[in-house]
Amino acid sequence: NYLRREMELITNVTEYEKLAKERLPKMVYDYYASGAEDQWTLRENREAFSRILFRPRILIDVSHINMATNVLGFNISMPIMIAPSAMQKMAHPEGELATARAAASAGTIMTLSSWSTSSVEEVNSVGPGIRFFQLYVYKDRNIVRQLVKRAEMAGFKAIALTVDTPRLGRREADIKNRFTLPPHLVLKNFEALDLGTMDKTNDSGLASYVAGQVDRTLSWKDVKWLQTITSLPILVKGVMTAEDARLAIEYGAAGIIVSNHGARQLDYVPATISCLEEVVRETKGRLPVFLDGGVRRGTDVFKALALGASGVFIGRPVLFSLAVDGEAGVRKVLQMLRDELELTMALSGCTSLREITRAHVITDSDRIGRARL
């Protein structure tokens, strides 16, 4: 009863993290929570949002607010979707299945990690829902072919190709903890290929697994190769510069996810919200640009949309709420973010997503520009 009361008192997404830390084994919490090296980018992913301020418009009829949007031709209830996060059964016995149900009930998209502890077929079996599949490209391309085909057969609607992980970032908490997948779990999509388990090492077991399996030769030509093995649209996840945005268009990507992998790969890259405008400017509306990293409030979502994002993906809030309260926790996180976005829109004078414009926010670069004037 005390726990239930505690959960009823949760009023924002961030509060789930403290409760998750109390419940999860240290190795698991550290794996979900930590960033690379000094964790500067981990902090900056949040702090950069706090430097963007609003320019609200007033005396606008906001009695009806519409947050619905369309992503790659799929209608969803709001521009808030679920990012791929690995090994969710470490957080809760139902893992990715609970997340999939929560996303479907909220009318939004879930992205399933390649390294999920539930298979694409199991996730499909929970019922209808719009789902994307995140792909790591293994050295053995037959494995990739098989996996993409299985995702297609299981009704997944797009591939989110992660492009920022030729090697795993140095996550020192995982090295200290000698992180490995708990013995009762496997990477379900690779179970039949005898690649579902991780060896114990003196380092991070996941880093060793990645070194052994993931293809470091991955390049732009492989985006073209993927198009020959699947008809699904391909989102390139991990773009942070205008130069790479231009190449993504050139190589036929269906969309871009501006991401620094939750600050888990290269430390001292800027926050994703700080890279967003550069990428959006380069795409000139030719393909949708999404953002992940550091989104914890409806105000963050609004800021991303004002700077040109077509939507955002959330990662850690899903893991922490899943750890605390399973499917109900994930549902509540999605509902809280939805409610906060609706309130932000009302107080900024926007009744639909297309009314959210660059004129609704002030960034660091605006302040510098004004100072020069």
Side-chain angles (χ1 to χ4, degrees), residues 53-110:
L53 305 178
F54 293 123
R55 298 182 70 246
R57 301 300 305 276
I58 55 165
L59 292 175
I60 292 165
D61 177 353
V62 291
S63 53
H64 297 288
I65 288 183
N66 180 10
M67 286 179 284
T69 190
N70 186 288
V71 169
L72 302 184
F74 299 99
N75 292 321
I76 57 175
S77 68
M78 59 180 172
I80 302 162
M81 299 163 281
I82 293 181
S85 299
M87 308 178 238
Q88 293 183 16
K89 282 190 178 176
M90 295 195 305
H92 187 275
E94 291 181 9
E96 295 84 1
L97 309 181
T99 302
R101 285 194 293 265
S105 70
T108 194
I109 293 165
M110 174 203 183

Side-chain angles (χ1 to χ4, degrees), residues 138-372:
Y138 277 50
K139 291 172 183 172
D140 181 344
R141 293 305 172 89
N142 283 326
I143 289 172
V144 181
R145 271 196 190 88
Q146 270 177 274
L147 194 52
V148 167
K149 195 54 64 196
R150 282 172 57 199
E152 265 187 40
M153 297 283 293
F156 285 73
K157 302 302 185 196
I159 301 291
L161 174 67
T162 293
V163 294
D164 58 11
T165 314
R167 296 175 58 174
L168 204 70
R170 185 174 171 81
R171 305 165 194 175
E172 294 178 1
D174 292 349
I175 296 167
K176 281 190 174 70
N177 294 331
R178 299 188 175 178
F179 173 83
T180 191
L181 192 59
H184 66 289
L185 297 175
V186 294
L187 302 178
K188 268 292 193 187
N189 290 315
F190 300 99
E191 188 176 29
L193 303 159
D194 289 333
L195 295 171
T197 55
M198 270 172 227
D199 296 328
K200 275 194 162 43
T201 64
N202 292 329
D203 198 327
S204 152
L206 183 62
S208 303
Y209 182 86
V210 169
Q213 301 302 334
V214 171
D215 192 347
R216 291 184 191 183
T217 73
L218 190 70
S219 70
W220 284 106
K221 69 181 188 314
D222 296 305
V223 176
K224 284 283 188 219
W225 171 75
L226 267 181
Q227 290 163 17
T228 69
I229 68 165
T230 182
S231 58
L232 294 179
I234 294 161
L235 296 164
V236 179
K237 178 179 183 287
V239 172
M240 300 192 72
T241 63
E243 295 89 330
D244 284 334
R246 194 176 313 140
L247 286 165
I249 294 167
E250 202 179 300
Y251 282 87
I256 285 170
I257 303 173
V258 174
S259 173
N260 54 30
H261 211 109
R264 295 159 75 73
Q265 283 299 100
L266 180 62
D267 201 14
Y268 297 98
V269 293
T272 48
I273 194 69
S274 305
C275 303
L276 177 62
E277 258 197 302
E278 174 182 327
V279 173
V280 167
R281 221 176 273 129
E282 185 60 41
T283 60
K284 301 181 180 74
R286 287 172 287 183
L287 78 183
V289 176
F290 306 97
L291 173 132
D292 80 18
V295 173
R296 299 292 182 273
R297 284 278 190 191
T299 48
D300 299 336
V301 181
F302 186 102
K303 290 169 185 179
L305 299 175
L307 295 178
S310 293
V312 304
F313 288 88
I314 57 164
R316 289 184 179 90
V318 170
L319 295 169
F320 295 139
S321 59
L322 181 67
V324 172
D325 202 14
E327 182 187 338
V330 181
R331 278 181 186 225
K332 184 163 178 177
V333 153
L334 291 169
Q335 188 62 48
M336 284 191 291
L337 288 173
R338 182 193 173 91
D339 291 345
E340 288 177 6
L341 175 60
E342 185 176 16
L343 182 60
T344 307
M345 287 172 70
L347 296 177
S348 298
C350 299
T351 62
S352 70
L353 301 184
R354 71 173 174 275
E355 289 178 11
I356 301 172
T357 69
R358 182 64 176 79
H360 284 99
V361 293
I362 306 168
T363 65
D364 285 347
S365 59
D366 298 331
R367 285 189 278 272
I368 292 164
R370 283 177 188 178
R372 284 197 183 120

